[in-house]
Amino acid sequence: MNLNISNLGKFIWKSQTVPGFGFQQVRNKWANWLMIRDVKRRRMSAEHFLERTRINALRKNNVLPPEIRELADKEINKFELNATPMRINNRCVITSRPRGIVKEWRMSRIVWRHLADYNKLSGVQRAMWG
């Protein structure tokens, strides 16, 4: 059997049923283009992390002469905007919802509650009174 890489891209995987999303066809593992953009920003931020921290240390060092600090300012401006960690947005890994994220699981509160109700999250127990 001859497997061609171009043919593998034509397969369509089915995602699991998720609250808010029905049974749908998915071509990649990200929920939508907003999630793809966020992943791209995370990768770029991780790639340039060491360089950016070194240059920022030069910029904020008051002992150095102002000429060197100005050069560091110019260097930091050469980076792409998506390389800054401030542009990273926490999103739900399942639905790509930007608000109400439970940080420990990286899920929105809605999906987290649904999975917790059906014992799909280890270490989570419903609160009980009385």
Side-chain angles (χ1 to χ4, degrees), residues 100-115:
I101 303 300
V102 181
K103 276 195 174 182
E104 194 174 336
W105 280 274
R106 288 184 62 197
M107 282 188 252
S108 72
R109 60 184 174 79
I110 300 162
V111 174
W112 187 87
R113 172 83 187 267
H114 178 77
L115 294 175

Side-chain angles (χ1 to χ4, degrees), residues 15 24 29 37 44 46 51 53 55 65 67 72-73 79 87 92 99 105 109 114 117-118 129-130:
S15 69
Q24 64 180 0
K29 61 183 176 179
R37 186 175 67 183
M44 288 189 72
E51 251 182 297
T53 49
I55 294 171
E67 295 84 22
D73 280 338
F79 284 108
R87 291 177 69 98
C92 174
R99 296 188 181 100
W105 280 274
R109 60 184 174 79
H114 178 77
D117 284 346
Y118 293 98
W129 288 269

Side-chain angles (χ1 to χ4, degrees), residues 3-45:
L3 282 177
N4 193 356
I5 294 176
S6 63
N7 290 337
L8 291 176
K10 295 178 184 173
F11 286 105
I12 298 173
W13 293 283
K14 306 277 186 189
S15 69
Q16 295 177 344
T17 54
V18 175
F21 279 61
F23 190 69
Q24 64 180 0
Q25 294 178 341
V26 177
R27 289 192 183 274
N28 55 19
K29 61 183 176 179
W30 311 116
N32 57 15
W33 63 273
L34 295 166
M35 193 70 174
I36 294 170
R37 186 175 67 183
D38 190 55
V39 168
K40 179 179 140 189
R41 287 176 178 166
R42 286 177 188 273
R43 278 198 195 121
M44 288 189 72
S45 179

